[in-house]
Amino acid sequence: IVCLFLKVTFEDVIAEPPSVRSFDNVWFWSHALFEVSRLWCYRFISLVLAVPVSLAAGLLFAVLSCLHIWLIMPCVQFLLINMQWIQAVWANILNIFISPFFSSFGKCYGQIIIHLESAEN
């Protein structure tokens, strides 16, 4: 399994400049040890953490789904059904007071024309 978001290579961590290099065998073995330790540490940590973290995430999403389905959505539907009169009053307030203001504002400023000219010598 390769992690697509974490792309760390040996050259990113151990960056010897081309002008100063250690012996070829030192470079080869340090590269091999880096890759092996990175791989096995990842495998060990994922072995220890994968099952508990996936179990906790599954429980969390199950609780959130249950709350959303059985608590939040019925409350929202209850409010929407019982608050129809507030929606009607609010729509009338918008149509009487707010809508004429923005309509006149749009008609006043809708006729503004901007011409851009470049000043070339």
Side-chain angles (χ1 to χ4, degrees), residues 54-103:
S54 62
L55 180 65
L59 289 173
L60 174 68
F61 287 122
V63 168
L64 290 176
S65 297
C66 185
L67 287 175
H68 186 265
I69 292 169
W70 294 104
L71 185 67
I72 295 171
M73 286 311 295
C75 290
V76 169
Q77 291 299 322
F78 175 76
L79 289 174
L80 289 176
I81 290 170
N82 291 320
M83 301 295 184
Q84 288 293 327
W85 65 273
I86 292 178
Q87 290 179 352
V89 169
W90 183 249
N92 286 333
I93 289 172
L94 288 178
N95 286 334
I96 292 170
F97 297 110
I98 307 297
S99 183
F101 172 73
F102 282 107
S103 294

Side-chain angles (χ1 to χ4, degrees), residues 11 14-24 27:
E11 289 78 17
I14 310 295
E16 287 184 343
S19 61
V20 181
R21 292 281 301 245
S22 58
F23 296 115
D24 287 336
W27 185 258

